Amino acid sequence: MHVVKEARATVIHPTAIVAPGAQLGDGVTIGPWCSVGPDVVIEDGVELISHVVVDGHTRLGAASRYFPFCTVGMAPQDLKYKGEPTRCEVGARTVVREHVTIHRGTAMGAGITRVGTDVLIMANAHVAHDCVVGNRAIIVNNVVMGGHVCIGDDARIMGSAAIHQFVRIGHAALVGGVTGVEADIIPYGSVLGNRARLVGLHWIWLRRNGVKSDEIHRMRKAFLSLYPKNGGDQPFAVRLDAVRQAFAQDQRVQEILAFIDAPSSRGLVRSAREQGRGQDMEDA
C-alpha cells in the first residue's frame, strides 16, 4: 500500500523577509526578523528561530535548526573574492547556535563551503570560506577556522580552538580547548597546547563507539611505534614503513597511514613525545 505523506504548512513570521526566488520546502519555520536571499534553498522542516540571515547560493538541509543572530552563506572574508556565485551547503539535522558565521566558498578555492549532517556548531564559532566540516562533528563555542580547513566525520573541536587555513583534521580527532592548530591532525588523534601537540589517540570516542579492546590495543601499539617517547632512534619515515607492514590488516591504523600519505599544505602536528614532554593520555 502506497502511503502519501501529507505536506506540512510553512510558517513565515510577518517580520521576516523572504526574497522572491527563494525555495522553501514543507514544514519550514521562518521566525521573527529573519532574512532569506533569492538564491537560497531551504529543505523540509528547517527552522530559523529568529534574526537569522541566509544569503547567497545556499542550501539548508532538512530538519536543520538555526538560532538567533547566526548567518549562513554570506560573502567570505577574502579580499580576492569579487562577488562570484559560489555556494554554501549545510546538511540535514545540523544545529547552528547563536552568532555562528558560515561563509560561502571562493572561486580561488573549491567554490563551496560544506557542513555535514548531524553537526552541532555552538555559539560564536566561525566556519570560513571553502571549509568542509564532516558529519556528526561537534564544534564548540568560539572556535575559529581559516579558509579551506577540512574537518573529518565525528571530530570534536573544543572551545576557543583556532585552526589555521588549509589544515586537515582527521576522522574522530579531538582538539583540546584554547588550542592553536597549525598543522594536520591524524584520524583519532588528540591534540592540546598553545601550539597543538599530539598527546595520544581519542580513546573515549573509540570506546564509546564500540571499538573492541583488542583493536584499541593494536591502535595503541601502532601509535607508540609511530611516536615513541623522546622521538625514538629512527627517522619518522622508517617508523612509518614499519607500522605499514606490521599493521597491514588493521583498518583503523591503515586509515591513519592513508591520511599521513595524502597531500598536505601544512604538514603533521608533531607529537609531544618527540620533544620529551607530555604522555599518552588514556582519557583524552
Side-chain angles (χ1 to χ4, degrees), residues 192-205:
L192 293 171
N194 177 273
R195 290 297 181 266
R197 291 291 178 261
L198 187 64
V199 295
L201 296 182
H202 193 178
W203 306 116
I204 286 180
W205 186 92

Side-chain angles (χ1 to χ4, degrees), residues 58 127 147 202 210:
T58 296
V127 180
H202 193 178

Side-chain angles (χ1 to χ4, degrees), residues 67-125:
F67 281 71
F69 304 103
C70 70
T71 68
V72 184
M74 300 295 285
Q77 298 174 137
D78 187 326
L79 296 177
K80 298 185 296 298
Y81 180 74
K82 303 302 180 185
E84 298 89 348
T86 52
R87 296 182 292 149
C88 179
E89 292 183 0
V90 179
R93 300 174 302 280
T94 284
V95 175
V96 178
R97 294 302 305 242
E98 297 84 353
H99 296 278
V100 167
T101 53
I102 304 174
H103 290 170
R104 58 184 181 260
T106 64
M108 296 292 292
I112 185 169
T113 300
R114 286 193 177 94
V115 176
T117 61
D118 300 296
V119 173
L120 172 59
I121 305 179
M122 297 187 193
N124 299 300

Side-chain angles (χ1 to χ4, degrees), residues 6-85:
E6 183 177 349
R8 294 170 292 167
T10 289
V11 177
I12 302 175
H13 193 274
T15 61
I17 299 174
V18 179
Q23 301 177 43
L24 308 184
D26 295 336
V28 169
T29 300
I30 300 180
W33 308 108
C34 292
S35 175
V36 178
D39 299 309
V40 172
V41 177
I42 299 181
E43 297 183 1
D44 296 352
V46 168
E47 181 181 10
L48 312 185
I49 293 176
S50 73
H51 297 83
V52 176
V53 177
V54 188
D55 198 15
H57 293 267
T58 296
R59 177 179 289 270
L60 306 183
S64 52
R65 300 183 72 208
Y66 303 83
F67 281 71
F69 304 103
C70 70
T71 68
V72 184
M74 300 295 285
Q77 298 174 137
D78 187 326
L79 296 177
K80 298 185 296 298
Y81 180 74
K82 303 302 180 185
E84 298 89 348

Side-chain angles (χ1 to χ4, degrees), residues 164-240:
H164 195 285
Q165 61 185 359
F166 292 102
V167 158
R168 299 179 303 144
I169 296 177
H171 173 218
L174 172 66
V175 176
V178 201
T179 293
V181 182
E182 298 177 311
D184 297 347
I185 302 169
I186 61 173
Y188 313 105
S190 176
V191 303
L192 293 171
N194 177 273
R195 290 297 181 266
R197 291 291 178 261
L198 187 64
V199 295
L201 296 182
H202 193 178
W203 306 116
I204 286 180
W205 186 92
L206 292 165
R207 293 177 184 127
R208 288 178 177 173
N209 284 272
V211 180
K212 296 180 179 178
S213 296
D214 58 340
E215 186 174 1
I216 290 177
H217 177 74
R218 292 196 303 274
M219 293 180 70
R220 179 183 286 110
K221 186 175 180 181
F223 179 83
L224 294 176
S225 298
L226 278 175
Y227 302 103
K229 189 173 183 180
N230 299 324
D233 299 324
Q234 296 177 317
F236 183 75
V238 174
R239 304 197 301 268
L240 188 64

